[in-house]
Amino acid sequence: MRPTTPCGQPDLVSIVVPFFNEADGIQLFHQTLRPILDSQPQVRFEVICVDDGSQDHTLEQLLALSGLDGRFRVIELSRNFGKEAALTAGIDMASGEAVIPIDADLQDPPELIAALLAEWRRGFDVVLARRVDRTADSFLKRTTASLFYKVHNQISTIQVPQDVGDYRLMSRNAIEALKQLPENQRFMKGLFAWIGFRSTTIDYVRHTRASGKTKFSGWRLWNFAIDGITSFSTAPLKVWTYIGGAGAVLSLCYASFIVLRTLILGVDVPGFASLLVAILFLGSLQLISIGVLGEYIGRIYLESKQRPTYIVRQRYGVADES
């Protein structure tokens, strides 16, 4: 069983919510979340709302919401750093004994919070929320997501649970372990999986987006997938050793064939088309391999700068821990 909180105080649970241009859905988010929080009188809640450089009225509405409901606290970042950075900022600011990241679009149902807390009280450090029905997502998104999980888990030693997003519960022990990971280019699903800890899974049906539209275009999802693979696997680098070795063997075999044919049949005029194809094919392979090297070198370059993952412009209702 999980240790009890000292002095008989109710457990403090932090809910971390990144926001980026979500002004149209903030009121609905609050209306949906408030009764769920009220239904857990044995728990104290803080809702860390991270404004990730929104360009609409998201910040103003979050501040108004914070004034109406003291459980809502607002972190304003200096610009748009991306969801992974905003999520990191919220987790860093959270002071609860458990932390629950959730999106503001209500695709991941807040009604699951009670079940997450129940499993946490049973002694689990991490409670995963797994999507068993993703019909709310497009066919292309479901297909590419499934392909990504399969490829990532095949080539990486860290297994990212399939159909599990950021929505989960993490104990304070897990959060403190996560905060020790210093990298700037963050693939949070992989970092969540890397820290380990005793975990369990709860299944749920993913809802349609309550308002607004997704901020992840196909191009951003592609780059996100590359970040995920290069963050936890060097297989893309290793594979070119085998491709180069196979090419060398094939080249040696073909050279031997040419020598034997010349000795038996005499000199033959080489075909221009076959020569051109061979040059273009090998040149393309070299460019691809350089591109893969570039991805890893680029990550090294960015990490070597040691820039902060995010910069906070202002905190509203959150105590400064510095």
Side-chain angles (χ1 to χ4, degrees):
M1 296 292 292
R2 187 187 57 81
T4 57
T5 304
C7 304
Q9 290 283 339
D11 292 315
L12 176 63
V13 175
S14 302
I15 299 176
V16 174
V17 195
F19 287 84
F20 178 62
N21 294 341
E22 299 283 357
D24 293 339
I26 291 177
Q27 184 176 359
L28 178 60
F29 176 77
H30 180 236
Q31 292 174 350
T32 304
L33 186 61
R34 183 180 59 188
I36 295 170
L37 304 186
D38 294 339
S39 68
Q40 299 287 324
Q42 73 279 20
V43 178
R44 293 178 297 136
F45 286 99
E46 64 171 4
V47 184
I48 308 295
C49 303
V50 184
D51 176 42
D52 187 24
S54 297
Q55 298 174 348
D56 58 2
H57 299 291
T58 294
L59 179 60
E60 290 83 351
Q61 293 201 28
L62 288 176
L63 293 178
L65 176 58
S66 178
L68 293 174
D69 192 331
R71 294 171 295 192
F72 284 74
R73 303 175 181 181
V74 182
I75 306 295
E76 180 190 1
L77 301 186
S78 62
R79 64 171 177 83
N80 176 239
F81 286 88
K83 182 184 176 183
E84 307 296 280
L87 187 58
T88 300
I91 290 174
D92 287 346
M93 305 297 173
S95 54
E97 291 301 311
V99 176
I100 303 175
I102 188 173
D103 290 341
D105 57 18
L106 297 177
Q107 284 194 278
D108 301 323
E111 294 82 4
L112 206 63
I113 289 176
L116 297 175
L117 291 172
E119 294 299 317
W120 173 55
R121 293 191 182 99
R122 290 180 55 199
F124 291 100
D125 286 291
V126 179
V127 186
L128 306 174
R130 180 172 58 196
R131 308 155 182 166
V132 293
D133 185 346
R134 299 189 61 172
T135 54
D137 296 329
S138 66
F139 172 78
L140 180 60
K141 186 174 181 178
R142 295 196 306 270
T143 304
T144 53
S146 177
L147 179 62
F148 165 75
Y149 284 117
K150 290 178 181 178
V151 171
H152 182 280
N153 291 338
Q154 188 68 31
I155 66 176
S156 175
T157 56
I158 300 301
Q159 302 296 294
V160 176
Q162 186 161 351
D163 292 325
V164 174
D166 297 325
Y167 191 28
R168 64 188 67 209
L169 180 145
M170 293 175 288
S171 71
R172 174 50 53 182
N173 286 339
I175 290 298
E176 291 302 322
L178 184 66
K179 290 166 70 172
Q180 294 179 42
L181 305 182
E183 56 246 57
N184 179 272
Q185 302 298 306
R186 302 176 72 81
F187 176 61
M188 296 303 291
K189 295 180 183 63
L191 297 180
F192 290 152
W194 188 90
I195 61 174
F197 288 94
R198 187 174 179 225
S199 65
T200 187
T201 302
I202 296 176
D203 294 336
Y204 74 99
V205 176
R206 186 170 172 84
H207 295 170
T208 57
R209 188 179 176 91
S211 62
K213 59 182 181 179
T214 180
K215 310 305 185 297
F216 281 90
S217 62
W219 179 247
R220 289 191 65 184
L221 287 173
W222 168 256
N223 288 323
F224 187 63
I226 292 178
D227 284 342
I229 291 174
T230 55
S231 293
F232 290 91
S233 176
T234 57
L237 289 173
K238 294 178 181 178
V239 71
W240 290 103
T241 302
Y242 300 104
I243 292 176
V249 171
L250 292 175
S251 299
L252 181 61
C253 293
Y254 184 68
S256 301
F257 168 74
I258 293 297
V259 170
L260 290 175
R261 190 182 67 171
T262 302
L263 292 174
I264 297 172
L265 301 178
V267 178
D268 189 14
V269 178
F272 174 78
S274 61
L275 182 62
L276 179 62
V277 169
I279 293 174
L280 292 177
F281 176 71
L282 292 176
S284 298
L285 286 182
Q286 290 174 336
L287 289 175
I288 294 172
S289 64
I290 292 172
V292 173
L293 285 172
E295 287 292 335
Y296 284 90
I297 293 172
R299 296 187 69 87
I300 296 171
Y301 171 71
L302 293 174
E303 293 294 340
S304 69
K305 292 176 178 292
Q306 297 184 341
R307 291 172 178 168
T309 305
Y310 59 86
I311 296 176
V312 175
R313 180 181 181 275
Q314 186 68 45
R315 309 180 188 191
Y316 305 90
V318 181
D320 192 341
E321 299 177 357
S322 61

